[in-house]
Amino acid sequence: MYLRPTDLDAALNALKGGRLAVLAGGTDFYPAQVGRPLPDDILDITALSALRGVREEASGFRIGALTTWSELLATPLPAWFNGLTLAAREVGGRQVQNAATLAGNLCNASPAADGVPALLALDAAVELAAHDGVRRLPLASFVTGSRRTARRTEELVTAIVIPHWGERARSTFIKLGARRYLVISIVMVAGTLEADASGAVSRAALAVGACTEVAQRLPALEAKLLGAPLDPALAGLVEARHLATLRPISDVRGSAEYRRDAALTLVRRALRQLAHE
Ligand SMILES: Cc1cc2nc3c(=O)[nH]c(=O)nc-3n(C[C@H](O)[C@H](O)[C@H](O)COP(=O)(O)OP(=O)(O)OC[C@H]3O[C@@H](n4cnc5c(N)ncnc54)[C@H](O)[C@@H]3O)c2cc1C
């Protein structure tokens, strides 16, 4: 069975029983099927126009689940989205960005997904809908492991929701790979900082990807940054112990030691970039 409904309720009803495989841009879905038979029952959600686009609401920004990386890049957004748009430019090449959705990136839950740290550093939440209701989960609770999420098989992700940051907020994203384009991350760092009227850090969110099964925020460092002047000296506050929760693996792309060292360097670099903006 191949379903491509145009109506969200019809899609959610079709998901009752949870037997259908959900298909969005297909850029993770199809590569994962290589060498295997395709699933018998597919729910193609690409005709659900209600899930397209980015819009501002009272509480923040709502990125519909079908929004592609290219559509995000074409949307005028506040400066504090800079980190997410930098990540968008790093996801594959143009063809991938034209088809691939942000929500698909989260649902696929790769440890190297570029969207996860960038969205963690914006305090994003994930909206999930089923035939019997809607719920929201903080992104940190949604991605539960490598290729694992808290999504029930009867649920669709319908949106990514990002709370407002203040006018003085700024964000960045740095990806380290073995080459410049079309590369799986070795380490990624994303950060968002907001300053108060005196120029002191009043809100901080920093996340490191590809160094644990699920990208991690750095709460000890975030706490240390609060109240400090938002200037390049912030980088000097970063200590190795602030990254102690990282558990990088050694693989063909880099050793665990290299990843740990690179993460420390990139966190400092990200803070210097944010201070110079
Ligand atoms: C050549 C190439 C290069 C790439 N480079 C990068 C890269 O640099 N960085 C990076 O992070 N990723 C990269 N990717 C991976 C991929 O493009 C992204 O993860 C993409 O954002 C996935 O979105 P999609 O819409 O294609 O998801 P799909 O492939 O359609 O789906 C992915 C998974 O999410 C589920 N899903 C999708 N949408 C929903 C929904 N709304 N509700 C419930 N479940 C859903 C699907 O069932 C499936 O399990 C690359 C892929 C390719 C092919």
Side-chain angles (χ1 to χ4, degrees):
M1 180 175 19
Y2 189 97
L3 294 178
R4 191 169 183 264
T6 53
D7 176 69
L8 181 57
D9 286 337
L12 298 177
N13 279 325
L15 271 180
K16 273 188 207 167
R19 286 175 302 102
L20 295 169
V22 177
L23 173 67
T27 62
D28 280 318
F29 183 92
Y30 284 117
Q33 308 301 328
V34 172
R36 306 187 203 177
L38 272 176
D40 288 335
D41 298 316
I42 291 180
L43 178 68
D44 177 341
I45 60 171
T46 54
L48 298 176
S49 52
L51 304 189
R52 286 210 174 272
V54 182
R55 63 171 199 263
E56 187 171 6
E57 299 180 334
S59 61
F61 283 81
R62 182 184 172 84
I63 301 176
L66 283 178
T67 308
T68 64
W69 294 104
S70 295
E71 284 163 355
L72 180 87
L73 286 169
T75 306
L77 292 165
W80 45 266
F81 267 95
N82 193 35
L84 187 60
T85 55
L86 287 169
R89 289 198 185 92
E90 301 272 2
V91 174
R94 284 284 173 85
Q95 295 92 333
V96 169
Q97 291 163 16
N98 288 342
T101 61
L102 279 73
N105 190 253
L106 303 185
C107 291
N108 190 57
S110 159
D114 289 325
V116 178
L119 285 160
L120 277 176
L122 287 172
D123 282 332
V126 174
E127 183 186 271
L128 295 134
H131 62 94
D132 56 355
V134 177
R135 62 180 179 139
R136 253 183 211 186
L137 285 178
L139 176 55
S141 311
F142 174 72
V143 184
T144 54
S146 173
R147 315 274 176 193
R148 288 201 310 274
T149 70
R151 182 181 85 87
R152 292 187 287 119
T153 51
E154 299 202 338
E155 288 176 315
L156 272 186
V157 168
T158 43
I160 299 163
V161 184
I162 300 178
H164 281 297
W165 286 69
E167 274 178 19
R168 289 193 191 82
R170 70 276 305 265
S171 71
T172 193
F173 174 86
I174 306 174
K175 169 170 172 173
L176 175 69
R179 57 174 189 264
R180 186 68 192 86
Y181 289 109
L182 263 178
V183 65
I184 298 178
S185 295
I186 298 172
V187 177
M188 303 153 263
V189 170
T192 312
L193 295 181
E194 189 172 321
D196 62 19
S198 74
V201 176
S202 54
R203 188 173 168 193
L206 292 156
V208 177
C211 286
T212 29
E213 273 197 22
V214 184
Q216 298 280 308
R217 288 273 294 263
L218 301 176
L221 177 58
E222 291 169 7
K224 179 139 189 187
L225 298 179
L226 292 181
L230 207 176
D231 64 29
L234 278 183
L237 299 178
V238 185
E239 298 167 40
R241 69 182 171 88
H242 294 132
L243 283 74
T245 52
L246 302 184
R247 296 280 177 275
I249 57 161
S250 295
D251 65 9
V252 286
R253 287 185 282 280
S255 67
E257 295 70 28
Y258 174 72
R259 283 196 160 92
R260 198 177 279 287
D261 194 52
L264 187 62
T265 301
L266 293 191
V267 169
R268 290 182 175 140
R269 193 175 295 167
L271 290 175
R272 276 194 292 272
Q273 277 183 11
L274 290 169
H276 281 122
E277 268 182 28

